[in-house]
């Protein structure tokens, strides 16, 4: 699984054959310039989910439910989950939380909407967690992760994202439950992996998480191209005849008669 927030990127991911595209609320950080995912709204998410849906043919599109759009009440959560499916054209939603989110997950699933869980480092709770750091290293928090995973499985989630948890714990959770785990910073023992597309492409320079591998540094590639363009415009090297349009000279001549 990879994240995407626009049609063009989604098309490339889809054509490569990656089966799942997450329109993550990481949108807020890697596209919209916020410091956390908390300011992201339903309208932001629907706008970008629609673009990703337009770019995809085979991949399952999962819309990430933003902060506080599934907490006030079950009817509120159902209404917002439905908007991802009905208005934006996604096939599933993802939401953060384990035991405490289980009832909400169950009710959304009962409406026919597939739900992906997300436990471990849950960025919407960043102010409780005290930063983007590895989770579940103590006896109590490790046991809670397993309880959360089991609760989500029982509630009917079709898969669970495990974010920033120790590799052996993620592997244990993966063995203990019967739905797929998708890891991000959770090691190779998960059933699948997810990364934020900007992290693997090196197109978000502000923060490069330890768990991300940069396959290219697009910020450098982009900066070089933009610098060259700027310099060529200033020196008159661009545009050339090759990038210009022509017309009948006699029409031009008539204009100045
Ligand atoms: O918002 C997001 O991109 C996510 C992934 C990191 C799993 O939740």
């Amino acid at each position: 699984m990879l994240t995407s927030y626009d049609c063009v990127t989604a098309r490339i991911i889809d054509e490569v054959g990656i089966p799942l595209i997450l329109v993550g609320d990481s949108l807020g950080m890697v596209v919209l310039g916020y410091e956390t995912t908390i300011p992201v709204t339903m309208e932001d998410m629907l706008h970008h989910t629609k673009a990703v849906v337009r770019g995809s043919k085979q991949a399952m599109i999962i819309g990430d439910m933003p902060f506080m759009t599934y907490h006030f009440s079950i009817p509120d959560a159902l209404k917002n989950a439905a908007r991802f499916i009905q208005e934006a054209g996604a096939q599933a939603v993802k939401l953060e939380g384990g035991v405490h989110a289980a009832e909400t997950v169950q009710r959304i699933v009962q409406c026919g909407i597939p739900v992906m869980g997300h436990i471990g480092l849950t960025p919407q709770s960043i102010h409780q967690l005290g930063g983007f750091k590895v989770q579940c290293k103590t006896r109590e928090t490790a046991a809670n992760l397993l309880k959360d995973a089991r609760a989500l499985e029982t509630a009917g989630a079709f898969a669970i994202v495990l974010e920033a948890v120790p590799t052996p714990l993620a592997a244990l959770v993966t063995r203990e439950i019967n739905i797929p785990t998708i890891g991000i910073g959770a090691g190779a023992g998960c059933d699948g992996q997810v990364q934020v597309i900007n992290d693997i492409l090196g197109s978000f320079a502000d923060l490069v998480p330890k768990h991300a591998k940069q396959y290219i540094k697009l910020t450098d590639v982009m900066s070089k191209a933009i610098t060259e363009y700027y310099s060529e415009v200033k020196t008159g090297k661009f545009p050339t005849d090759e990038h210009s349009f022509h017309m009948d000279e006699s029409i031009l001549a008539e204009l100045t008669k």
Side-chain angles (χ1 to χ4, degrees), residues 136-147 169 172-173:
C136 307
K137 286 173 89 167
T138 66
R139 187 167 288 121
E140 189 189 349
T141 54
N144 283 343
L145 187 79
L146 186 56
K147 279 187 205 149
L169 177 62
L172 180 144
V173 169

Side-chain angles (χ1 to χ4, degrees), residues 222-256:
M222 289 168 75
S223 177
K224 187 169 172 291
I226 294 166
T227 304
E228 212 173 316
Y229 161 74
Y230 186 33
S231 152
E232 288 197 357
V233 169
K234 282 194 293 186
T235 57
K237 219 172 149 193
F238 175 86
T240 60
D241 197 47
E242 187 196 342
H243 307 105
S244 307
F245 303 97
H246 302 100
M247 64 182 286
D248 189 336
E249 293 287 337
S250 64
I251 298 176
L252 268 188
E254 274 170 33
L255 291 176
T256 50

Side-chain angles (χ1 to χ4, degrees), residues 1 3 5 22-27 37 64 94 96 118 123 161 163 182 184 194-196 211:
M1 180 159 88
T3 69
Y5 318 95
L22 171 68
V23 189
D25 64 352
S26 46
L27 165 80
T37 58
D64 209 2
K94 176 172 86 58
E96 296 181 7
H118 182 163
V161 169
E163 178 165 355
I182 315 243
I184 174 164
V194 58
Q195 286 286 306
V196 170
H211 60 67

Side-chain angles (χ1 to χ4, degrees), residues 8-254:
V8 175
T9 311
R11 188 168 295 137
I12 298 169
I13 299 171
D14 191 75
E15 283 171 4
V16 165
I18 291 182
L20 300 162
I21 300 180
L22 171 68
V23 189
D25 64 352
S26 46
L27 165 80
M29 298 174 72
V30 298
V31 176
L32 302 180
Y34 298 125
E35 281 185 8
T36 69
T37 58
I38 288 172
V40 175
T41 64
M42 270 304 289
E43 301 313 317
D44 293 332
M45 289 305 301
L46 293 175
H47 180 70
H48 287 268
T49 303
K50 285 178 195 172
V52 169
V53 167
R54 286 194 288 272
S56 324
K57 288 202 177 90
Q58 61 81 23
M60 178 186 211
I61 311 300
I62 302 153
D64 209 2
M65 297 191 68
F67 181 61
M68 295 309 284
T69 62
Y70 49 98
H71 304 80
F72 290 120
S73 67
I74 300 271
D76 206 38
L78 297 181
K79 186 188 82 203
N80 287 323
R83 290 189 74 192
F84 275 100
I85 309 299
Q86 202 166 30
E87 280 179 46
Q91 283 94 39
V93 296
K94 176 172 86 58
L95 55 83
E96 296 181 7
V99 170
H100 298 299
E103 191 191 347
T104 307
V105 170
Q106 186 177 32
R107 295 291 299 279
I108 299 174
V109 172
Q110 280 168 352
C111 293
I113 300 174
V115 179
M116 176 176 274
H118 182 163
I119 53 178
L121 172 56
T122 45
Q124 291 172 10
S125 309
I126 196 69
H127 298 311
Q128 262 176 353
L129 301 178
F132 294 98
K133 45 191 173 189
V134 67
Q135 300 296 309
C136 307
K137 286 173 89 167
T138 66
R139 187 167 288 121
E140 189 189 349
T141 54
N144 283 343
L145 187 79
L146 186 56
K147 279 187 205 149
D148 284 336
R150 286 190 171 131
L152 289 170
E153 179 181 19
T154 305
F158 72 94
I160 303 176
V161 169
L162 298 178
E163 178 165 355
V165 295
T167 298
L169 177 62
L172 180 144
V173 169
T174 302
R175 284 195 302 276
E176 288 292 316
I177 61 172
N178 295 305
I179 54 173
T181 59
I182 315 243
I184 174 164
C190 297
D191 294 302
Q193 297 292 324
V194 58
Q195 286 286 306
V196 170
I197 184 90
N198 305 66
D199 291 340
I200 68 159
L201 297 182
S203 61
F204 179 65
D206 302 18
L207 176 92
V208 184
K210 174 178 156 61
H211 60 67
K213 177 171 172 186
Q214 261 184 12
Y215 290 83
I216 187 169
K217 196 146 187 248
L218 275 192
T219 46
D220 287 354
V221 176
M222 289 168 75
S223 177
K224 187 169 172 291
I226 294 166
T227 304
E228 212 173 316
Y229 161 74
Y230 186 33
S231 152
E232 288 197 357
V233 169
K234 282 194 293 186
T235 57
K237 219 172 149 193
F238 175 86
T240 60
D241 197 47
E242 187 196 342
H243 307 105
S244 307
F245 303 97
H246 302 100
M247 64 182 286
D248 189 336
E249 293 287 337
S250 64
I251 298 176
L252 268 188
E254 274 170 33

